[in-house]
């Protein structure tokens, strides 16, 4: 959240947090909630926190791409006859996504991974429990269910 998400010439790097004004505050709250849920061993809501995290990241990315494309188009139309229009295009062309996006995606993937692993463990426990209950309900006198011992006695 505090790592650089976008670099802009002259302005420098922009983070998700943006001094408490950006979506980074929501992502911090979702990460804290996911951590607390994990400590309480409540794994089902992790599906929701990871989905909301991915949705925020996707919307932010799409908004960034749209605003950058829109700024380039506006500059081309407004600075058509300006001899310095090339400098403006060059400056906007150097706006880049930074490594902070990767960290945010890895964090959201971590939450999703925890949800998947907990689902797999719960599914395995359910399968094991149903197998044990079937064995417990079976008739111990049923020779088909018991292994053949032979004449060992």
């Amino acid at each position: 959240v505090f790592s650089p998400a976008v670099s802009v010439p002259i302005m420098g790097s922009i983070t998700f947090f943006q001094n408490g004004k950006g979506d980074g505050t929501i992502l911090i709250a979702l990460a804290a909630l996911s951590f607390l849920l994990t400590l309480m061993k409540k794994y089902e809501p992790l599906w929701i926190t990871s989905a909301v995290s991915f949705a925020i990241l996707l919307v932010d990315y799409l908004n960034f791409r749209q605003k950058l494309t829109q700024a380039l188009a506006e500059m081309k139309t407004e600075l058509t006859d300006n001899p310095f229009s090339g400098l403006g295009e060059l400056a906007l062309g150097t706006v880049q996504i930074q490594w902070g996006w990767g960290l945010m995606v890895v964090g959201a993937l971590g939450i999703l991974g925890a949800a998947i692993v907990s689902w797999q463990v719960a599914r395995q426990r359910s399968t094991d429990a149903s197998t044990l209950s079937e064995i417990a309900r079976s008739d111990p006198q049923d020779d088909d269910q018991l292994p053949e011992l032979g004449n060992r006695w």
Side-chain angles (χ1 to χ4, degrees):
V1 176
F2 302 107
S3 57
V6 177
S7 67
V8 181
I10 300 172
M11 290 179 59
S13 295
I14 299 173
T15 67
F16 280 100
F17 189 67
Q18 296 176 1
N19 295 325
K21 299 178 208 166
D23 288 338
T25 53
I26 298 169
L27 292 171
I28 288 173
L30 287 168
L33 177 61
S34 298
F35 181 71
L36 290 174
L37 289 168
T38 304
L39 288 178
M40 296 183 326
K41 297 184 180 183
K42 305 281 185 193
Y43 303 110
E44 300 242 346
L46 293 178
W47 291 103
I48 297 168
T49 58
S50 66
V52 172
S53 297
F54 277 118
I56 289 171
L57 291 173
L58 179 65
V59 167
D60 283 352
Y61 176 76
L62 294 175
N63 283 338
F64 167 74
R65 296 305 299 177
Q66 179 192 15
K67 287 179 182 178
L68 185 60
T69 304
Q70 183 180 8
L72 280 168
E74 286 178 8
M75 187 175 37
K76 284 183 181 181
T77 58
E78 291 179 13
L79 299 177
T80 304
D81 296 330
N82 192 326
F84 298 107
S85 64
L87 290 176
E89 287 179 28
L90 180 66
L92 275 180
T94 59
V95 174
Q96 296 179 4
I97 290 178
Q98 291 294 316
W99 54 273
W101 282 93
L103 288 179
M104 298 305 295
V105 169
V106 167
L109 284 172
I111 296 170
L112 179 63
I116 290 171
V117 166
S118 68
W119 174 71
Q120 290 287 344
V121 168
R123 196 171 120 206
Q124 182 64 39
R125 285 183 183 162
S126 172
T127 303
D128 292 348
S130 65
T131 303
L132 287 175
S133 65
E134 286 176 21
I135 292 172
R137 283 186 295 216
S138 67
D139 186 9
Q141 302 301 321
D142 189 5
D143 291 339
D144 294 336
Q145 296 290 328
L146 298 174
E148 184 64 39
L149 295 176
N151 275 337
R152 294 190 184 168
W153 305 106

